[in-house]
Amino acid sequence: AALEAAMADQDVRLIVLTGAGKVFCSGADLKEALTSPAVATGLMAEIIALLWESGKPVICRVNGAARAGGIGLIAASDIAIAVEPASFAFSEVRIGVVPAVISVPCLRRMPSRAAAEYFLTAEVFDASRAVEIGLLTKSVPPSDLDAEVNGYAAMLLRGAPAALAGTKGVLRDVPGVSVSDGLAKMADLSGRYFGS
């Protein structure tokens, strides 16, 4: 609800998503997922959609380990910066479930070979590997995390809100259309923004 409210608030120009404590996010609450699977997976899908479809830029400040659903949140963000000691794992197969909901943003960020490697093996990988496979924008020493996040926030705040929202739409939509359709749609979009 708080995320939804922030997305709707006209005074909020960007979102910074981070974890509390030493862990960024360990994924779904397994007790809740066992008692109400549809509620748990539906909530995760809703949060990922809010992040992915938001017209506001989303920076993910990864302050520690991320597992399963936590990686989905990272993939749904526009910019993701992690501390170098952070570790990552798609742990679902080890507990008998599938990384289904989070696959939607993750497979848009990761090459298919890397996704197969980590979705199927559930092996832990480090922040530098997460950068290599497209899950993170960059990794930094823990002492530099806030400065790096603040630097990106300052750059984003220099952009016009409507232009940032339009650019997020381009990043979301263009990879899924043919070249000719993409050029026609983008020429129209460009004309509308130049005319605004």
Side-chain angles (χ1 to χ4, degrees), residues 72-98:
L73 299 175
I74 294 167
S77 300
D78 301 302
I79 294 171
I81 303 157
V83 293
E84 289 169 347
S87 63
F88 305 84
F90 294 96
S91 52
E92 290 87 347
V93 297
R94 297 223 178 140
I95 60 168
V97 297
V98 174

Side-chain angles (χ1 to χ4, degrees), residues 39 94 138 159:
V39 171
R94 297 223 178 140
K138 64 171 48 177

Side-chain angles (χ1 to χ4, degrees), residues 132-181:
E132 287 175 19
I133 62 174
L135 284 173
L136 294 175
T137 306
K138 64 171 48 177
S139 63
V140 296
S143 60
D144 295 346
L145 181 61
D146 288 330
E148 197 68 32
V149 168
N150 291 339
Y152 274 101
M155 287 186 278
L156 291 167
L157 289 172
R158 291 182 3 215
L164 289 168
T167 301
K168 281 192 66 167
V170 168
L171 292 166
R172 257 191 330 264
D173 301 338
V174 169
V177 300
S178 70
V179 171
S180 60
D181 286 347

Side-chain angles (χ1 to χ4, degrees):
L3 181 59
E4 202 167 16
M7 296 292 186
D9 188 338
Q10 295 301 317
D11 293 330
V12 174
R13 298 210 23 227
L14 68 91
I15 305 294
V16 177
L17 183 66
T18 193
K22 296 179 181 180
V23 172
F24 170 71
C25 181
S26 58
D29 179 336
L30 295 179
K31 288 181 185 175
E32 181 182 337
L34 289 173
T35 58
S36 302
V39 171
T41 57
L43 181 59
M44 178 58 77
E46 186 179 319
I47 292 168
I48 287 173
L50 279 170
L51 296 171
W52 189 266
E53 296 168 1
S54 165
K56 298 172 189 204
V58 178
I59 300 173
C60 198
R61 180 188 176 275
V62 183
N63 56 308
R67 298 293 185 269
I71 302 175
L73 299 175
I74 294 167
S77 300
D78 301 302
I79 294 171
I81 303 157
V83 293
E84 289 169 347
S87 63
F88 305 84
F90 294 96
S91 52
E92 290 87 347
V93 297
R94 297 223 178 140
I95 60 168
V97 297
V98 174
V101 172
I102 66 167
S103 71
V104 176
C106 290
L107 292 175
R108 285 167 168 75
R109 301 282 187 208
M110 301 171 66
S112 62
R113 287 285 184 198
E117 176 183 6
Y118 294 114
F119 281 22
L120 293 170
T121 67
E123 284 302 306
V124 175
F125 55 101
D126 64 15
S128 64
R129 180 68 175 147
V131 171
E132 287 175 19
I133 62 174
L135 284 173
L136 294 175
T137 306
K138 64 171 48 177
S139 63
V140 296
S143 60
D144 295 346
L145 181 61
D146 288 330
E148 197 68 32
V149 168
N150 291 339
Y152 274 101
M155 287 186 278
L156 291 167
L157 289 172
R158 291 182 3 215
L164 289 168
T167 301
K168 281 192 66 167
V170 168
L171 292 166
R172 257 191 330 264
D173 301 338
V174 169
V177 300
S178 70
V179 171
S180 60
D181 286 347
L183 289 171
K185 288 177 182 179
M186 292 304 106
D188 177 61
L189 179 68
S190 186
R192 282 188 279 135
Y193 274 87
F194 274 112
S196 69

